């Protein structure tokens, strides 16, 4: 894979510092140097100490990554929302984990994406998950198709430039919900469970912002944006204020409306393209089980 830039500064600068400004890490430079890549200036191979001058054309050729040998293939088709040579956005169904785990090495989105890459014959088949979703959360997931894109998107994540918004169906004390509200309550592990979390003064800071999208007699559809990323944050916060997610048995959600997983869907994903800097935004309608409940109460 090849990337080309024009050096536009008046003062000279070594290639290594210029590439650092472009997001090329020391690790990626090492791959280029030792695994068959190239650095060129004006079409001629140079090393990282070469001094650039105004209007020089800098090219890097990144060697193919191959594949993760240990990631198994799952031929189940994926629902592709967007794809280019650097990015892949998919709509993840509920009930599917994002990545393999020790005791569940297959049947995850990573396994499905690898099989897709394999079928397409892509030279880069390493799976780079940028945004994960819990197993029972549906919606938009972002993959980088090579390590350079992954590094640049990780930088956006650290700078909070990758925005994910969710929709959830909640019930309970709906009168406690505001049209636009915040839940600012710290979250810690629940000592009674390996998985469960709880609100605790000893926990880590956690902030959840929400808007009521639709209020019905027994259920409300809320839009949610996380301002921190604690495990089970949405589920814990809404349970704590008396409005647990439908289908979320762990946190006291209603189980009598046909939803058997937490009614949570990542419907909006926004970030800047790592190479064109274009603002990209994707939206995805809620999954069928949530849509059925919305239709039931509408009728």
């Amino acid at each position: 894979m090849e990337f080309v830039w024009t050096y536009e500064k008046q003062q000279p600068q070594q290639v290594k510092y210029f590439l650092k400004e472009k997001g090329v890490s020391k690790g990626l430079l090492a791959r280029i140097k030792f695994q068959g890549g190239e650095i060129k200036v004006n079409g001629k191979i140079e090393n990282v100490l070469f001094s650039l001058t105004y209007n020089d054309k800098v090219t890097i050729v990144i060697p193919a990554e191959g594949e993760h040998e240990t990631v198994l293939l799952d031929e189940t088709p994926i629902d592709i929302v967007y794809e280019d040579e650097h990015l892949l956005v998919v709509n993840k169904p509920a009930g599917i984990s994002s990545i393999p785990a020790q005791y569940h090495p297959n049947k995850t989105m990573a396994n499905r994406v690898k099989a897709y890459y394999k079928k397409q014959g892509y030279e880069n088949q390493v799976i780079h998950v940028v945004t994960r979703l819990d197993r029972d959360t549906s919606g938009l997931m972002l993959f980088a198709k090579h390590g350079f894109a992954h590094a640049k998107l990780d930088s956006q994540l650290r700078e909070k430039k990758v925005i994910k918004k969710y929709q959830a169906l909640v019930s309970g004390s709906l009168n406690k919900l505001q049209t636009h509200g915040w839940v600012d309550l710290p979250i810690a592990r629940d000592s009674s469970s390996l998985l469960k979390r709880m609100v605790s003064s000893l926990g880590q800071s956690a902030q959840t912002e929400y808007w009521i999208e639709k209020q019905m007699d027994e259920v409300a559809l809320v839009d949610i944006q996380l301002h921190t990323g604690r495990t089970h944050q949405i589920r814990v916060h809404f349970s704590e204020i008396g409005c647990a997610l439908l289908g979320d048995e762990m946190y006291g959600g209603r189980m009598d409306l046909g939803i058997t997983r937490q009614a949570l869907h990542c419907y909006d994903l926004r970030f800047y393209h790592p190479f064109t800097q274009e603002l990209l935004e994707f939206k995805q309608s809620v999954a069928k089980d949530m849509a059925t409940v919305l239709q039931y109460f509408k009728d």
Side-chain angles (χ1 to χ4, degrees):
M1 182 166 286
E2 184 176 283
F3 296 88
V4 182
W5 299 278
T6 300
Y7 185 69
E8 298 178 341
K9 296 179 182 179
Q10 296 295 332
Q11 67 274 26
Q13 184 180 40
Q14 287 184 340
V15 167
K16 65 178 180 180
Y17 296 117
F18 174 73
L19 292 179
K20 182 179 180 180
E21 292 174 359
K22 296 300 182 182
V24 178
S25 66
K26 289 182 179 179
L28 181 52
L29 279 178
R31 284 193 59 235
I32 292 170
K33 181 176 180 179
F34 297 112
Q35 297 181 26
E38 293 178 337
I39 297 173
K40 298 178 183 179
V41 179
N42 301 324
K44 182 182 177 182
I45 293 177
E46 301 287 358
N47 64 35
V48 295
L49 300 179
F50 183 85
S51 186
L52 298 170
T53 57
Y54 178 74
N55 213 36
D56 279 344
K57 295 291 189 294
V58 182
T59 302
I60 61 170
V61 179
I62 301 175
E65 295 178 349
E67 64 175 293
H68 279 136
E69 298 288 349
T70 56
V71 177
L72 304 175
L73 300 179
D74 180 349
E75 302 288 347
T76 306
I78 56 177
D79 182 2
I80 296 175
V81 176
Y82 174 83
E83 182 178 15
D84 65 21
E85 62 180 323
H86 308 293
L87 310 171
L88 178 69
V89 178
V90 301
N91 180 31
K92 186 185 88 66
I96 305 297
S97 297
S98 293
I99 60 173
Q102 181 178 0
Y103 299 108
H104 303 282
N106 203 353
K107 308 300 182 184
T108 73
M109 289 307 299
N111 302 112
R112 294 182 181 187
V113 168
K114 180 175 178 181
Y116 171 72
Y117 287 176
K118 198 88 169 175
K119 184 176 180 180
Q120 299 302 310
Y122 294 155
E123 64 175 10
N124 294 318
Q125 295 182 15
V126 173
I127 307 304
H128 296 278
V129 179
V130 180
T131 61
R132 302 183 189 184
L133 294 175
D134 289 346
R135 175 185 176 87
D136 288 327
T137 299
S138 56
L140 296 167
M141 269 187 76
L142 172 59
F143 292 81
K145 293 174 71 175
H146 54 84
F148 190 21
H150 195 179
K152 291 177 78 68
L153 288 165
D154 273 348
S155 178
Q156 287 191 47
L157 283 168
R158 289 191 296 273
E159 295 169 5
K160 298 189 176 181
K161 292 180 179 178
V162 177
I163 305 298
K164 291 194 297 181
K165 295 186 77 173
Y166 297 82
Q167 288 186 323
L169 290 173
V170 302
S171 65
S173 303
L174 299 182
N175 61 317
K176 293 183 179 180
L177 294 177
Q178 304 169 43
T179 302
H180 172 215
W182 285 73
V183 184
D184 187 354
L185 297 169
I187 293 176
R189 287 183 178 272
D190 187 329
S191 59
S192 68
S193 169
L194 293 175
L195 299 176
K196 195 174 181 182
R197 300 300 194 267
M198 61 183 289
V199 168
S200 167
S201 60
L202 301 177
Q204 293 180 297
S205 174
Q207 294 92 37
T208 302
E209 185 177 11
Y210 71 86
W211 299 259
I212 294 180
E213 177 72 16
K214 193 175 296 183
Q215 178 117 19
M216 296 155 279
D217 289 340
E218 300 178 45
V219 173
L221 175 68
V222 291
D223 283 6
I224 300 165
Q225 183 175 343
L226 296 177
H227 293 279
T228 52
R230 310 304 174 206
T231 300
H232 295 180
Q233 180 173 319
I234 292 172
R235 300 164 64 188
V236 172
H237 273 174
F238 277 88
S239 176
E240 183 68 18
I241 64 174
C243 298
L245 275 61
L246 300 189
D248 192 358
E249 189 170 19
M250 178 178 287
Y251 293 103
R254 285 183 61 172
M255 303 298 294
D256 61 340
L257 293 174
I259 293 184
T260 57
R261 54 100 179 188
Q262 70 257 14
L264 185 62
H265 179 81
C266 181
Y267 81 97
D268 191 344
L269 176 64
R270 280 172 277 171
F271 57 93
Y272 291 93
H273 193 286
F275 301 106
T276 69
Q277 303 310 312
E278 176 189 2
L279 177 62
L280 301 178
E281 180 173 12
F282 305 99
K283 292 182 181 289
Q284 184 67 43
S285 300
V286 296
K288 185 177 179 180
D289 56 352
M290 292 176 65
T292 298
V293 171
L294 286 169
Q295 187 62 43
Y296 173 79
F297 281 101
K298 179 181 177 181
D299 294 341

